[in-house]
Amino acid sequence: YQGKTDEKADLWIGETLKSVELMRSMIADLLEYSRVDSQAGDPVPVDLNSAFEASLLRLKAPISENQASVTSESLPTLMGDPAQFTQLLHNLTGNALKYRGPAPPEIKVTAEKGEREWTISVSDNGIGIDPAYHRTIFLMFERVYSSSKLPGTGIGLTLCQRIVQRHGGRIWVESEKDEGATFKFTLPIHSGPLPHWPTGKST
């Protein structure tokens, strides 16, 4: 009936459609979160360069629309779940595109090797995050900006944190408001099975 009723009814229809789409996205994200443990396979060597390239294929449209520059240094090969590594890089790069500033987005992925772990950084020149929110943004449904300004479910960073923790690492953000953001996460250096990794797939 949209377009066949008065302006007020059209407004209600539009708001209803937005709510339904948000609910659909939320259900999809919650399902993705629940599968981090339940549908993951055994850890295998994963080339993070390939995982990053796969994440960019899924972001081809928004990268083009935002005229973004997305680059990476040489990334390591680490033990883990290839689909989850791709999801992790996809979410962090996608957030950098979403929370862009007035200039075209510039996103760079780098890696630094420590004694026991690698630190992967995803940096951008976007709108940044007030330090007051650095911890809460990783909580389920917590968002710095309302969905009316920037769409989202508030689950993406929670999913990133769950993936990183499952692989024995940690994740955090370094940022100031209006000065861009750098999300960093660590992944342990292992040539064999990861500690505390569930054996096989659970049902």
Side-chain angles (χ1 to χ4, degrees), residues 75-120:
L75 303 176
T77 294
L78 297 171
M79 296 295 292
D81 185 301
Q84 290 183 3
F85 281 164
T86 298
Q87 183 71 52
L88 173 62
L89 292 168
H90 171 271
N91 283 13
L92 294 178
T93 306
N95 271 4
L97 291 168
K98 182 189 297 184
Y99 298 102
R100 58 166 293 178
E106 294 180 5
I107 304 164
K108 187 171 184 179
V109 181
T110 60
E112 180 180 356
K113 187 178 183 180
E115 291 186 6
R116 298 183 179 181
E117 61 189 16
W118 280 88
T119 300
I120 312 298

Side-chain angles (χ1 to χ4, degrees), residues 23-24 31 38-39 41-42 47 50-51 72 86 109 124 130 134 136 144 147 153 162 179 188:
M23 183 62 70
R24 186 201 64 80
L31 286 173
S38 66
Q39 295 191 11
D42 294 330
D47 180 0
S50 298
S72 73
T86 298
V109 181
D124 66 59
D130 189 301
H134 284 190
T136 59
V144 177
S147 57
T153 61
R162 186 70 196 93
E179 296 183 13

Side-chain angles (χ1 to χ4, degrees), residues 95-96 99-107 122-131 134 137 145 173-183:
N95 271 4
Y99 298 102
R100 58 166 293 178
E106 294 180 5
I107 304 164
V122 181
S123 303
D124 66 59
N125 63 336
I127 58 179
I129 303 169
D130 189 301
H134 284 190
I137 57 172
Y145 301 96
V173 64
E174 297 175 358
S175 177
E176 294 287 343
K177 188 175 180 181
D178 301 321
E179 296 183 13
T182 299
F183 281 86

